[in-house]
Amino acid sequence: MACLDLSLLLVLSVLAGVREVSLARFGHQGAMALGDIIIGGLFPIHEAADAVNYTDLSNSSSPSRPNCSRYYTKGLNQALAMIHAVEMANRSPMLRSLNLTLGYLIYDTCSDVTTALWAIQDLTRPYSDCDSPTNSSQPVQSIMAVIGASSSEISIAIARELNLLLIPQISYASTATILSDKSRFPAFMRTVPNDEYQTHAMVQILKDNKWTWVGIIITDGDYGRSALESFVKHTESEGICVAFKVILPDSLADQQKLNTHIDKTVDTIEKNPKVNVVVSFAKSSQIKNILKDVNLSDIGNVLGFTFKSGNDTAFHQYLKGLKFESEANMNKSFLKEFLKLPYIGNATNAVEELIKSTYLDMVFSIQMAVSAIANAVVELCVKRQCKTPSAIQPWELLKQLRNTTFEKGGVVYNFDANGDINLGYDVCLWDDNEFEGNDIIAEYYPSNSSFIFTRKNLSDIENVVSKCSDSCYPGEYKSTAEGQHTCCYACLACAENQYSNHTDADACSKCDTESMWSNSNSSECHPKLYEYLEWNSGFAIALLTLAALGILLLFSMSALFFWQRNSLVVKAAGGPLCHLILFSLLGSFISVFFFVGEPSNESCRVRQVIFGLSFTLCVSCILVKSLKILLAFQMNLELMELLRKLYKPYVIVCICMGLQVTICVLWLTLYMPYKDKVVQPKSILLECKEGSSLMFGLMLGYIDLLALICFTFAYKGRKLPQKYNEAKFITFGMLIYLMAWVIFIPVHVTTSGKYVPAVEVVVILISNYGILSCHFLPKCYIIIFKKEYNTKDAFLNSVFEYSRKSSENIRGLTGPDPHSKTENSVNVISNPSLVPEEKQVSVPKTDNVP
């Protein structure tokens, strides 16, 4: 192969003599230093390479290298960082102890894949005769490793070439996730995390700040599309939407095409006013042009992720100590071109610009790459003589690198299974004036996906809002139209018995309607309270007060009747039966207390039985009194004799009670009442289920039947002597009872809720007070206030008056001689059932006078 034209060689003379590095000749835009182990270096010293036109092949010639343009100071800075790191390694005790030195071959990739492949071709081709630094007899040296490139697009391309020889490649800035696939890129390694961590960190900070409506800008190529795919995957899982995607051309050579895309990008950003956060995976120079067009001050803050960095003091001292040779000795070197830049002009400005263009994270990553290679070389060469050419092979160094552990700045590092060193990121705010300037505000640690903020005041970030729709408040949920972004939605209120307890809920959660409830637009479910007739409710207190007053009246009347037990009024009222009636009413009043309070199975079974048995006893006693009255004043002798035989007071009471007891036993055995829960919209009603409506109705119906019989018997004796007319009071008492329970039936059937027990309590109290008012209060009134009526004479006169009126009525109905009937009447009036035997008197027969 013909030798390269010397006019294409550049000399980086800045390093001659000053750093004791022997500089020889260069390949196409490259620099070289000899050593025992040669390391290749690929850096973007130019930003673009002119594209070669291969569309017209009619006049095609042999392939040629693209011409580079647009000098990139930061790329030169990175190349100098590698040279400085190699010099530091050569001075280290570990290499000096083995008498080994590292050399390098540095090439300019021009930020172009084709140019980088040309460089790899040179790096992997053994020196020919014309390439030899001195003469053809010098042993040929091959590179043992390559540091670079910065762009993932270029790294992917050259990695496929380096894989053929398993030459280790350590990138200091390529972050594409695909490069972690060791099945496709076994020789690739890097000193930075892959994009999977970066996109995860970006999405995490978007999520933490609730930036759900964002744009994304990428550079076309494997890196940009891989980053886009990873970013979109993470955003979809976190509910973040990408409003727009802009893809910029990878090549920077066609400035007109690039400007057209940048103008479209700016237009896209301006047409999306709600997008206040834009994520970029594009080249920094492209983003700078976009920010200049949009105006950085109008955008606000630029948040960036940078790699971890180390102490930069030594490198800055290195840059300050550079001595530029005269222009005549520089030939056509990188520095000659650099010094001719309009904003440089002299060595002082050159040093200032180099220091200003230093990316500390890039410098640190390059230093780590050199340190890793140096340590791996030492570990291999400690057991062999590496001064001999080809003493070690690239694949041996690759194996050693994968297992090596090295120290830098007091920290120990090693490559993981994917060939990565994952240190995390620094989160920076870019300066308004200088895009490169930054202020570290947080650190991100991939091990636990956490941020540690180093600056407390983050209002300039926290106040940023980037949402398609305003947040939905608790109690609302997001409703998205079909075909629309999930981040663009309307906020609708949650329905009843549904809730959302955080902002931007995707859907409302349902309350457990068995125990919880909520109104519409609720942020929480409320527990359903148990509802029943509480002890402290006003209605319950009123009913219980009446029941307690009734019990007090019962005891008072019982005491009064016991004190006056020998008086004619008490005897006429039934004597011992009065105390039995009062006792039964006591049970009826007590049953009221079982209708109030939280129901239980026991209270549900007891309350109806107590009332049914006690009131049956009461009505049975009244029935006996009705029979007694009917018997005492019966004018028909045959019927009177029949009634005399049937009149067995306590037997009748026992029979009546026995039937009711049978009903209650069957009820409690077959259809036992129980506590039930009725789930209502906002509460849980605790109530008693009677078990069987038929048995409940049968119990009440039986009492009603007895009351109706009492009413019938008492009605027949309603015209007895006024002052001792027991039948009249029984009639009214039973009438009140019957009317109350007739009204109770439809009210009880149609009423629902916690006041259903109160309906029955009211009827019970009406029935009890009806009995007390009609049966006992008139007697108490006579005993206390009308004592003159509580004598034998008054009683007999009342009976005599009644007999006289009855005789006159009979005479008027049967003719002038009703003598026989009058005698019957007198005999009935003299019935010993009303007057004690020792106090019975003869009543003279009345004459038949008109």
Side-chain angles (χ1 to χ4, degrees):
M1 181 177 178
C3 296
L4 291 176
D5 191 344
L6 294 179
S7 64
L8 297 177
L9 299 181
L10 300 178
V11 178
L12 194 60
S13 59
V14 64
L15 302 175
V18 178
R19 296 301 168 195
E20 300 179 356
V21 177
S22 175
L23 297 181
R25 293 159 47 191
F26 295 82
H28 181 76
Q29 295 182 341
M32 183 185 84
L34 295 178
D36 299 307
I37 305 295
I38 303 299
I39 305 173
L42 298 175
F43 298 96
I45 298 175
H46 289 82
E47 283 190 297
D50 297 335
V52 179
N53 185 10
Y54 292 107
T55 57
D56 185 8
L57 298 179
S58 61
N59 297 319
S60 63
S61 58
S62 61
S64 61
R65 301 183 186 230
N67 294 319
C68 298
S69 61
R70 297 175 60 180
Y71 201 89
Y72 189 52
T73 307
K74 297 178 184 62
L76 174 62
N77 189 286
Q78 295 163 16
L80 292 174
M82 176 179 169
I83 294 172
H84 173 250
V86 170
E87 290 184 3
M88 296 295 291
N90 287 336
R91 295 194 191 102
S92 66
M94 60 181 183
L95 284 177
R96 297 181 72 173
S97 64
L98 298 175
N99 194 27
L100 293 175
T101 58
L102 301 179
Y104 53 81
L105 284 172
I106 295 177
Y107 280 80
D108 180 9
T109 65
C110 301
S111 304
D112 176 64
V113 172
T114 303
T115 304
L117 290 174
W118 277 104
I120 288 297
Q121 184 182 28
D122 288 347
L123 288 171
T124 57
R125 183 184 67 238
Y127 293 120
S128 63
D129 290 343
C130 62
D131 291 323
S132 175
T134 56
N135 54 57
S136 59
S137 62
Q138 183 171 340
V140 176
Q141 278 186 295
S142 299
I143 60 169
M144 291 294 105
V146 173
I147 295 178
S150 61
S151 165
S152 293
E153 184 78 10
I154 296 176
S155 289
I156 291 171
I158 65 175
R160 299 184 191 279
E161 294 290 329
L162 296 174
N163 284 343
L164 299 176
L165 299 174
L166 288 180
I167 298 175
Q169 174 190 359
I170 304 179
S171 174
Y172 57 91
S174 298
T175 58
T177 305
I178 190 176
L179 290 168
S180 292
D181 186 352
K182 297 299 103 177
S183 64
R184 288 191 283 180
F185 304 97
F188 180 83
M189 305 169 77
R190 54 187 161 197
T191 55
V192 293
N194 68 50
D195 275 336
E196 185 70 19
Y197 298 104
Q198 185 179 13
T199 53
H200 187 275
M202 286 184 172
V203 171
Q204 183 68 34
I205 206 166
L206 294 177
K207 178 184 176 182
D208 291 345
N209 289 278
K210 299 180 180 179
W211 297 330
T212 58
W213 189 236
V214 300
I216 184 169
I217 302 173
I218 67 168
T219 299
D220 196 11
D222 290 342
Y223 165 71
R225 295 187 182 278
S226 174
L228 174 62
E229 180 183 356
S230 176
F231 180 77
V232 171
K233 179 184 70 174
H234 284 94
T235 56
E236 287 177 349
S237 64
E238 297 294 347
I240 299 171
C241 301
V242 178
F244 59 83
K245 304 171 186 175
V246 175
I247 301 177
L248 299 177
D250 180 61
S251 175
L252 303 180
D254 190 343
Q255 190 64 44
Q256 183 178 359
K257 180 181 178 181
L258 178 62
N259 290 337
T260 300
H261 278 81
I262 289 176
D263 291 340
K264 290 181 178 179
T265 301
V266 173
D267 184 59
T268 300
I269 294 174
E270 292 176 346
K271 287 182 178 179
N272 289 271
K274 290 186 176 181
V275 177
N276 293 318
V277 173
V278 177
V279 177
S280 171
F281 290 96
K283 294 181 178 180
S284 59
S285 58
Q286 295 173 330
I287 295 301
K288 280 197 294 184
N289 290 333
I290 293 174
L291 295 179
K292 288 177 181 177
D293 289 348
V294 177
N295 190 336
L296 181 58
S297 61
D298 292 339
I299 289 180
N301 297 291
V302 177
L303 199 65
F305 284 75
T306 62
F307 306 124
K308 302 295 288 186
S309 57
N311 192 327
D312 61 337
T313 304
F315 182 63
H316 280 174
Q317 291 297 325
Y318 169 79
L319 294 177
K320 291 177 182 179
L322 287 175
K323 294 182 180 179
F324 294 86
E325 299 292 338
S326 65
E327 185 174 333
N329 293 329
M330 290 176 60
N331 202 355
K332 295 178 181 179
S333 68
F334 294 151
L335 292 181
K336 179 179 179 179
E337 184 180 358
F338 178 56
L339 286 173
K340 287 183 178 180
L341 294 175
Y343 53 88
I344 302 299
N346 55 61
T348 301
N349 291 340
V351 171
E352 291 179 356
E353 184 65 22
L354 285 172
I355 293 176
K356 182 181 177 181
S357 300
T358 300
Y359 276 154
L360 299 181
D361 56 340
M362 293 288 188
V363 172
F364 183 68
S365 296
I366 292 169
Q367 291 174 346
M368 290 183 68
V370 173
S371 295
I373 293 173
N375 277 269
V377 166
V378 169
E379 291 172 1
L380 284 174
C381 294
V382 73
K383 297 179 180 180
R384 67 180 74 177
Q385 178 54 258
C386 293
K387 299 288 288 186
T388 304
S390 303
I392 61 174
Q393 298 298 324
W395 53 88
E396 292 180 298
L397 182 61
L398 172 63
K399 180 179 179 181
Q400 191 63 43
L401 277 170
R402 295 294 294 272
N403 298 313
T404 193
T405 298
F406 60 96
E407 182 268 337
K408 184 166 182 59
V411 181
V412 178
Y413 303 97
N414 64 283
F415 295 95
D416 62 18
N418 296 322
D420 303 338
I421 295 179
N422 191 358
L423 302 181
Y425 303 94
D426 289 332
V427 183
C428 306
L429 274 178
W430 299 109
D431 187 87
D432 290 347
N433 298 318
E434 291 294 336
F435 182 68
E436 294 79 9
N438 59 78
D439 174 22
I440 297 177
I441 64 171
E443 297 178 0
Y444 178 78
Y445 294 93
S447 58
N448 55 3
S449 302
S450 65
F451 287 94
I452 296 179
F453 288 90
T454 58
R455 199 178 84 177
K456 294 182 179 180
N457 184 12
L458 298 174
S459 58
D460 44 0
I461 298 175
E462 294 171 345
N463 294 333
V464 175
V465 177
S466 188
K467 295 182 177 182
C468 180
S469 302
D470 293 334
S471 294
C472 294
Y473 294 105
E476 299 176 335
Y477 71 98
K478 297 186 295 186
S479 176
T480 306
E482 185 177 356
Q484 191 178 19
H485 277 287
T486 57
C487 297
C488 301
Y489 48 80
C491 295
L492 302 180
C494 293
E496 288 186 359
N497 293 322
Q498 295 183 0
Y499 72 99
S500 63
N501 56 7
H502 60 275
T503 58
D504 294 332
D506 293 324
C508 296
S509 302
K510 292 184 178 181
C511 300
D512 180 7
T513 54
E514 291 296 319
S515 59
M516 309 291 284
W517 70 276
S518 70
N519 290 320
S520 59
N521 200 24
S522 291
S523 60
E524 61 180 352
C525 292
H526 306 285
K528 289 184 176 181
L529 300 179
Y530 288 119
E531 188 176 274
Y532 50 87
L533 188 59
E534 300 93 346
W535 292 97
N536 58 354
S537 68
F539 195 17
I541 291 174
L543 296 176
L544 294 174
T545 301
L546 290 174
L549 180 61
I551 293 173
L552 182 61
L553 287 175
L554 287 177
F555 282 109
S556 300
M557 291 178 180
S558 180
L560 180 62
F561 273 54
F562 182 77
W563 177 48
Q564 294 287 328
R565 61 186 179 278
N566 294 323
S567 65
L568 292 177
V569 171
V570 174
K571 291 182 177 181
L577 287 177
C578 293
H579 294 283
L580 196 56
I581 293 174
L582 291 173
F583 173 76
S584 66
L585 291 178
L586 176 63
S588 184
F589 276 120
I590 289 176
S591 70
V592 168
F593 291 87
F594 291 96
F595 286 85
V596 181
E598 182 177 349
S600 63
N601 289 329
E602 291 74 19
S603 63
C604 292
R605 297 163 191 164
V606 167
R607 65 181 192 176
Q608 297 291 3
V609 172
I610 291 178
F611 167 71
L613 294 178
S614 60
F615 214 81
T616 300
L617 177 61
C618 175
V619 176
S620 299
C621 293
I622 295 174
L623 177 61
V624 170
K625 291 177 63 175
S626 301
L627 287 172
K628 180 179 179 180
I629 294 169
L630 187 63
L631 177 62
F633 295 95
Q634 179 56 247
M635 302 303 176
N636 190 317
L637 294 176
E638 295 178 359
L639 182 58
M640 180 184 67
E641 291 300 325
L642 177 62
L643 291 175
R644 281 180 180 276
K645 294 178 180 179
L646 296 176
Y647 183 68
K648 305 294 183 183
Y650 295 104
V651 174
I652 294 173
V653 170
C654 290
I655 292 174
C656 294
M657 283 296 295
L659 292 175
Q660 187 67 289
V661 168
T662 301
I663 293 173
C664 292
V665 169
L666 291 174
W667 185 9
L668 293 177
T669 303
L670 301 178
Y671 310 100
M672 187 179 295
Y674 58 91
K675 172 186 175 181
D676 189 32
K677 294 181 180 180
V678 179
V679 178
Q680 297 178 331
K682 296 183 180 181
S683 62
I684 298 176
L685 177 63
L686 300 181
E687 63 177 5
C688 288
K689 289 292 185 181
E690 306 303 343
S692 171
S693 299
L694 177 63
M695 297 303 296
F696 178 53
L698 185 61
M699 182 199 76
L700 294 180
Y702 179 70
I703 299 175
D704 292 342
L705 177 62
L706 294 180
L708 184 61
I709 295 173
C710 290
F711 174 78
T712 304
F713 289 170
Y715 184 77
K716 289 182 175 292
R718 67 188 182 283
K719 295 182 180 180
L720 291 176
Q722 296 295 320
K723 296 183 180 59
Y724 306 94
N725 194 347
E726 191 74 17
K728 180 173 64 175
F729 296 120
I730 293 175
T731 301
F732 281 119
M734 293 300 100
L735 184 61
I736 292 172
Y737 170 82
L738 291 172
M739 290 178 62
W741 285 96
V742 167
I743 296 173
F744 163 77
I745 294 173
V747 174
H748 184 269
V749 171
T750 57
T751 302
S752 60
K754 67 179 182 180
Y755 290 107
V756 170
V759 174
E760 187 170 354
V761 169
V762 170
V763 177
I764 291 173
L765 291 176
I766 291 175
S767 302
N768 291 352
Y769 275 102
I771 300 297
L772 287 176
S773 300
C774 295
H775 287 262
F776 294 98
L777 286 182
K779 309 301 184 294
C780 294
Y781 177 76
I782 293 175
I783 293 172
I784 298 173
F785 300 105
K786 296 292 183 179
K787 296 180 180 179
E788 63 273 16
Y789 294 129
N790 194 16
T791 62
K792 180 178 66 175
D793 293 338
F795 177 77
L796 292 177
N797 288 334
S798 178
V799 173
F800 176 77
E801 183 65 23
Y802 172 75
S803 300
R804 186 181 64 79
K805 290 182 178 180
S806 298
S807 299
E808 291 177 354
N809 291 336
I810 293 173
R811 185 185 305 136
L813 293 172
T814 60
D817 190 18
H819 182 68
S820 61
K821 293 185 180 294
T822 302
E823 290 179 351
N824 292 341
S825 178
V826 174
N827 289 334
V828 172
I829 292 173
S830 302
N831 191 304
S833 63
L834 292 175
V835 183
E837 183 178 347
E838 66 275 12
K839 295 184 180 180
Q840 292 181 13
V841 295
S842 297
V843 180
K845 296 181 181 180
T846 58
D847 296 330
N848 294 332
V849 293

